[in-house]
């Protein structure tokens, strides 16, 4: 009887155990790197009362008369930033995808500028430009706040444009637009009934990333003398011991909640995409 | 006057002429295919009818009305895309009803029309599913129903079967044709697949480099190609340079081997260069039946293609393909052997060089 050659696939042994151990070690180190400071901050935030672990620092934080105004102002700024950013970015990205694809590199470059211009340079440039007529926007608190929102809109561009652009690429926007047009739809109908509903996840991702940036932003708000959460946290660090840690945990929880929402909504979309692929 | 008249339209992108003087009249209820390779201008022409491109010059008349510069949403033209283009956020029923809802039709009318369309495409059980829950073939049927729901004056199909697998493609093309016949709707079908065009169309427009090469019924296009491109693009073809030997007797010679053609060559002179085309299935072994032309050939290779056996032969110095139907009792010659092959006068097509 002749010996049949053993197929190569059977002969090759996968070093599965070694790989798994290596992966686990990397995971462990990275987890510790992130979790230890977080756990320490959380532990510190629980020591607001002498010799007792509790939520005293959180109670004091929420009881502080400056906290809620700063928090609500930051939230309102974030919402205004998101709305303005969507109004600017979505039609731009849509039109670039549909009609002006040659402009894409230029638009991408512009939207990436906030990454290369340091916040401190940006804020001094803005203060210099808008502190004298005819563009005097730093005269009052409200006009400065409007200016701050505009700066945040610019800061949100890299995230918002990328998220919307990816969303538009994923849905074959050109063909969907043409299909809707051939069925008699006008531009507003196409945008509101076909494009926006299919960009739900992308818009939400962009919006929540923008939200996270605005909520935690310090440098620009500080130099523009705004009473938002960033400067409030900075002040808190100078004057209190445990409350800044409680504040950090609250900010962290808000960010994670935002990420959770993106993940939850995105999971539904990716499951649909998966089902379509396996079809 | 024809129902859809595409009159001398030209489309330029910068300096590039994509469609050059395209001229076609289509009757109501006719199914016309634009057939050609990538970049020949067939899709651009279709998009001009749809309104997605505006012609650089020329006119498009639909039922007597000039639609050349009308916006796509003002044309009442249904379009089916290669990628289905169903709205992912809408169910099958919502997709089909979309065109009617933007026309502000009543809910009752929309529901009734959607039901009609869904039963037309036999997807009653899938009305409330989303596109991602359907197969490619089902999605394209929904796309067809969606385009038909608005009672379009013309149905435009832009390579609608290209993304589907072979079996579904064949069944769906028959379904599209049956529905088109049933509704009597005028349709333009763009494809690069000659078999698809031959099987589905009333007429075919063969296009190449922005120009119309030939317009005719599938029978005419296949059997009587008028240009070298048309002859080469549709079906498999032997073509070779030849010289007119005797115009009065329609005799030509391919590398010294004489063939008699049914084509009238009286307008040509002896020695004129022409191109000769012979379909592989028009050649056969002379032992079976002798036709007008009997020539010596050497068997070079034999390829089994399932229902057909393709035999590569050499006549003089020119290589030809000869097709014969496969059957279990087929006796094939040996490679290298010498045989006599034959073809009728009608099989020898003479085209301009």
């Amino acid at each position: 009887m002749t010996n049949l050659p053993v197929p190569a696939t059977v002969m090759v042994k996968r070093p599965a155990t070694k790989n798994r151990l290596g992966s686990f070690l990397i995971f462990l180190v990275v987890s510790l790197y992130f979790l230890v400071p977080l756990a320490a901050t959380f532990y510190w935030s629980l020591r607001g009362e002498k010799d007792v672990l509790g939520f005293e620092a959180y109670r004091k934080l929420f009881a502080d008369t400056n906290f809620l105004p700063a928090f609500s102002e930051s939230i309102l700024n974030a919402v205004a930033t998101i709305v303005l950013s969507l109004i600017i970015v979505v039609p731009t990205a849509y039109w670039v995808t549909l009609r002006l694809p040659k402009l894409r590199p230029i638009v991408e470059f512009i939207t990436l500028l906030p990454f290369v211009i340091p916040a401190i340079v940006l804020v001094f440039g803005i203060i210099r430009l808008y502190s004298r007529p005819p563009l005097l926007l730093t005269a009052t608190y409200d006009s400065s706040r409007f200016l701050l929102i505009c700066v945040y809109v610019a800061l949100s561009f890299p995230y918002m444009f990328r998220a919307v652009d990816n969303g538009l690429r994923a849905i074959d926007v050109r063909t969907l637009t043409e299909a809707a047009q051939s069925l008699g739809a006008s531009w507003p109908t196409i945008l509101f009934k076909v494009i926006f509903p299919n960009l739900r996840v992308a818009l939400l991702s962009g919006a929540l990333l923008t939200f996270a940036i605005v909520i935690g932003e310090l440098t620009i708000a500080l130099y523009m003398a705004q009473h938002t959460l960033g400067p409030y946290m900075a002040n808190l660090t100078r004057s209190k011991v445990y409350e800044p840690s409680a504040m950090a945990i609250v900010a962290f929880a808000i960010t994670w909640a935002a990420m959770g929402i993106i993940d939850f909504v995105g999971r539904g979309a990716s499951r649909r995409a998966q089902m379509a692929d396996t079809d | 006057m024809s129902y859809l008249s595409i009159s001398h339209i030209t489309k330029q992108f910068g300096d590039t002429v994509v469609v050059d003087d395209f001229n076609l009249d289509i009757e109501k209820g006719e199914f016309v295919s634009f057939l050609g390779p990538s970049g020949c201008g067939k899709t651009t022409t279709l998009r001009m009818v749809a309104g997605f491109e505006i012609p650089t010059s020329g006119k498009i008349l639909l039922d007597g009305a000039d639609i050349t510069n009308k916006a796509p949403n003002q044309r009442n033209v249904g379009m089916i895309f290669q990628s289905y283009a169903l709205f992912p956020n809408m169910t099958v029923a919502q997709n089909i009803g979309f065109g009617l809802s933007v026309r502000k039709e009543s809910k009752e009318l929309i529901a009734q029309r959607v039901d009609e369309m869904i039963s037309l495409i036999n997807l009653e059980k899938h009305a409330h599913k989303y596109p991602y829950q359907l197969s490619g073939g089902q999605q394209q049927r929904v796309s067809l129903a969606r385009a038909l729901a608005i009672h379009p004056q013309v149905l435009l199909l832009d390579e609608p079967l290209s993304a589907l697998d072979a079996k579904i493609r064949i069944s769906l093309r028959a379904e599209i044709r049956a529905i088109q016949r049933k509704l009597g709707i005028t349709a333009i079908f763009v494809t690069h697949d000659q078999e698809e065009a031959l099987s589905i169309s009333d007429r075919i427009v063969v296009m190449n480099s922005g120009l119309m090469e030939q317009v005719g019924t599938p029978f005419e296009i296949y059997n009587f190609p008028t240009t070298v491109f048309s002859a080469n693009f549709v079906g498999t073809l032997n073509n070779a340079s030849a010289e007119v030997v005797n115009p009065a007797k329609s005799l030509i010679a391919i590398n010294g081997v004489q063939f008699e053609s049914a084509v009238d060559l009286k307008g040509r002179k002896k020695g004129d260069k022409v191109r000769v085309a012979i379909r592989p299935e028009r050649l056969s072994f002379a032992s079976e039946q002798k036709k007008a032309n009997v020539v010596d050939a050497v068997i070079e290779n034999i390829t089994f293609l399932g229902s057909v056996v393709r035999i590569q032969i050499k006549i003089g110095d020119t290589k030809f393909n000869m097709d014969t139907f496969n059957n279990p009792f087929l006796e094939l010659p040996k490679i290298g052997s010498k045989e006599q092959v034959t073809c009728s006068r009608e099989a020898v097509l003479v085209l301009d060089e």
Side-chain angles (χ1 to χ4, degrees):
Chain A
M1 198 175 135
T2 53
N3 286 329
L4 290 171
V6 182
T9 48
V10 178
M11 292 166 72
V12 177
K13 265 192 182 175
R14 285 182 60 212
T17 324
K18 201 177 165 187
N19 269 352
R20 232 176 282 158
L21 186 70
S23 307
F24 176 73
L25 278 174
I26 292 169
F27 175 74
L28 189 72
V29 171
V30 172
S31 299
L32 288 175
Y33 182 80
F34 283 110
L35 291 177
V36 169
L38 191 65
T41 308
F42 182 59
Y43 175 69
W44 190 251
S45 74
L46 296 177
R47 292 185 58 186
E49 218 171 337
K50 202 179 176 190
D51 300 330
V52 180
L53 286 183
F55 292 94
E56 180 59 18
Y58 291 89
R59 194 195 60 74
K60 280 184 184 163
L61 178 71
F62 286 104
D64 184 351
T65 50
N66 291 327
F67 171 70
L68 279 179
F71 188 61
S72 58
E73 189 164 328
S74 281
I75 286 186
L76 284 176
N77 285 355
V79 171
T81 305
I82 288 165
V83 171
L84 264 178
S85 187
L86 287 176
I87 289 171
I88 295 169
V89 170
V90 176
T92 307
Y94 178 59
W95 209 245
V96 165
T97 307
L98 199 65
R99 293 269 190 266
L100 304 163
K102 280 183 186 169
L103 278 187
R104 180 184 298 283
I106 297 167
V107 176
E108 275 185 355
F109 174 74
I110 292 169
T111 59
L112 286 176
L113 281 178
F115 277 157
V116 290
I117 301 172
I120 194 78
V121 174
L122 190 66
V123 73
F124 278 110
I126 284 161
I127 290 170
R128 224 180 130 72
L129 184 66
Y130 293 101
S131 292
R132 63 191 75 169
L135 296 166
L136 183 58
L137 281 173
T138 51
T140 66
Y141 185 82
D142 286 339
S143 62
S144 292
R145 189 175 174 190
F146 172 72
L147 191 59
L148 179 73
I149 291 168
C150 292
V151 178
Y152 284 162
V153 169
L155 284 184
S156 75
F157 279 164
Y159 310 97
M160 195 60 100
F161 182 80
R162 210 141 288 274
V164 173
D165 192 45
N166 285 343
L168 286 169
R169 285 180 197 220
I171 60 168
D172 190 1
V173 66
R174 173 183 277 269
T175 316
L176 287 185
T177 301
E178 288 180 352
Q181 279 182 307
S182 74
L183 292 165
S186 60
W187 284 112
T189 310
I190 296 169
L191 273 174
F192 288 102
K193 288 195 171 172
V194 177
I195 303 301
F196 283 157
N198 288 305
L199 284 181
R200 195 168 45 106
V201 178
L203 297 182
L204 199 67
S205 303
L208 292 180
L209 285 170
T210 304
F211 183 84
I213 296 163
V214 175
I215 285 289
E217 204 286 323
L218 167 69
T219 317
I220 300 168
L222 193 68
Y223 280 96
M224 291 180 77
Q226 295 289 301
H227 308 314
T228 55
L229 210 55
Y232 173 79
M233 272 176 79
N235 277 334
L236 205 64
T237 317
R238 276 186 229 118
S239 57
K240 303 276 166 98
V241 182
Y242 303 106
E243 283 83 341
S245 299
M247 181 67 237
I249 294 296
V250 169
F252 187 78
I254 293 168
T255 310
W256 271 88
M259 296 299 171
I261 294 170
I262 299 177
D263 185 54
F264 179 74
V265 177
R267 209 177 293 165
S270 65
R271 196 170 53 235
R272 282 201 294 275
Q274 253 176 17
M275 286 177 74
D277 283 347
T278 53
D279 192 28
Chain B
M1 192 181 174
S2 60
Y3 186 62
L4 175 64
S5 173
I6 305 171
S7 180
H8 300 287
I9 59 166
T10 295
K11 179 67 185 174
Q12 267 180 278
F13 292 113
D15 293 337
T16 315
V17 180
V18 182
V19 178
D20 193 3
D21 196 27
F22 188 98
N23 210 14
L24 182 72
D25 286 331
I26 299 174
E27 295 306 323
K28 194 167 187 176
E30 201 177 5
F31 196 113
V32 175
S33 290
F34 294 170
L35 174 67
S38 299
C40 71
K42 56 189 189 297
T43 295
T44 308
T45 308
L46 189 86
R47 289 172 63 80
M48 287 193 276
V49 177
F52 300 131
E53 306 289 350
I54 301 295
T56 310
S57 63
K59 265 187 181 178
I60 302 172
L61 302 178
L62 178 57
D63 202 12
D66 188 347
I67 59 163
T68 317
N69 295 305
K70 266 193 177 179
N73 59 352
Q74 306 293 319
R75 293 195 180 203
N76 198 29
V77 164
M79 178 109 176
I80 297 178
F81 299 84
Q82 184 182 339
S83 58
Y84 324 132
L86 295 180
F87 307 130
N89 57 314
M90 297 181 200
T91 62
V92 166
Q94 287 166 337
N95 262 287
I96 295 173
F98 180 83
L100 298 169
S101 71
V102 298
R103 282 168 169 72
K104 308 256 187 283
E105 298 289 359
S106 70
K107 279 185 179 174
E108 294 75 30
L109 192 138
I110 294 173
Q112 186 197 330
R113 184 72 178 150
V114 167
D115 284 348
E116 247 173 66
M117 287 295 109
I118 286 177
S119 64
L120 184 73
I121 55 166
N122 295 317
L123 284 180
E124 288 91 340
K125 288 178 187 165
H126 304 276
H128 301 292
K129 286 186 179 172
Y130 283 89
Y132 70 87
Q133 294 171 306
L134 304 175
S135 68
Q138 288 171 330
Q139 286 190 55
Q140 199 55 292
R141 278 150 70 194
V142 176
S143 172
L144 174 67
R146 183 179 67 175
L148 292 171
I150 58 168
H151 297 285
Q153 287 175 279
V154 181
L155 181 66
L156 307 175
L157 304 102
D158 187 8
E159 307 213 27
L161 308 173
S162 302
L164 301 171
D165 64 56
K167 233 177 175 180
I168 305 277
R169 207 156 53 214
I170 291 168
S171 68
L172 191 56
R173 83 180 178 213
E175 201 173 328
I176 289 173
R177 181 59 159 149
I179 290 172
Q180 180 268 338
R181 275 202 175 116
K182 187 177 169 185
L183 302 178
I185 192 166
T186 310
I188 303 177
F189 185 91
V190 161
T191 182
H192 60 264
D193 183 331
Q194 36 126 344
E195 187 195 316
E196 221 164 77
L198 291 170
S199 67
I200 205 170
S201 321
D202 289 321
R203 272 194 302 161
I204 296 173
V205 179
V206 181
M207 293 182 71
N208 180 34
S209 305
L211 292 164
M212 296 168 81
E213 286 277 339
Q214 188 177 355
V215 183
T217 63
F219 186 83
E220 289 165 348
I221 295 283
Y222 189 84
N223 291 309
F224 307 107
T226 53
T227 67
V228 175
F229 177 84
S230 193
N232 272 321
F233 193 76
V234 182
T236 314
L237 192 81
N238 298 299
N239 79 78
S241 294
E243 201 177 284
V244 177
V245 176
N246 185 337
K249 290 183 178 174
S250 291
L251 274 181
I252 50 104
I254 303 171
N255 282 331
V257 181
Q258 284 196 9
F259 285 86
E260 192 183 340
S261 173
V263 177
D264 187 354
L265 296 177
K266 279 174 190 156
R268 298 176 193 265
K269 298 189 300 286
K270 188 182 174 188
D272 275 359
K273 297 283 180 201
V274 289
R275 186 150 282 270
V276 168
I278 305 171
R279 296 271 180 215
E281 68 272 19
R282 304 295 298 269
L283 290 166
S284 59
F285 288 114
S287 54
E288 293 163 17
Q289 185 189 8
K290 281 194 173 136
K291 293 175 185 163
N293 298 294
V294 178
V295 291
D296 291 328
V298 178
I299 310 297
E300 292 221 309
N301 197 14
I302 298 171
T303 314
F304 182 67
L305 301 173
S307 60
V308 167
V309 178
R310 179 156 295 163
I311 303 162
Q312 276 100 51
I313 56 175
K314 203 168 180 182
I315 300 173
D317 288 331
T318 314
K319 288 184 178 183
F320 285 81
N321 283 320
M322 180 170 97
D323 284 353
T324 181
F325 278 118
N326 176 31
N327 75 67
F329 311 105
L330 188 66
E331 283 180 24
L332 292 168
K334 284 187 178 154
I335 292 170
S337 64
K338 285 185 181 170
E339 302 283 339
Q340 279 197 318
V341 295
T342 184
C343 68
S344 66
R345 296 169 69 238
E346 288 74 20
V348 183
L349 304 169
V350 180
L351 310 166
D352 285 324
E353 181 68 281

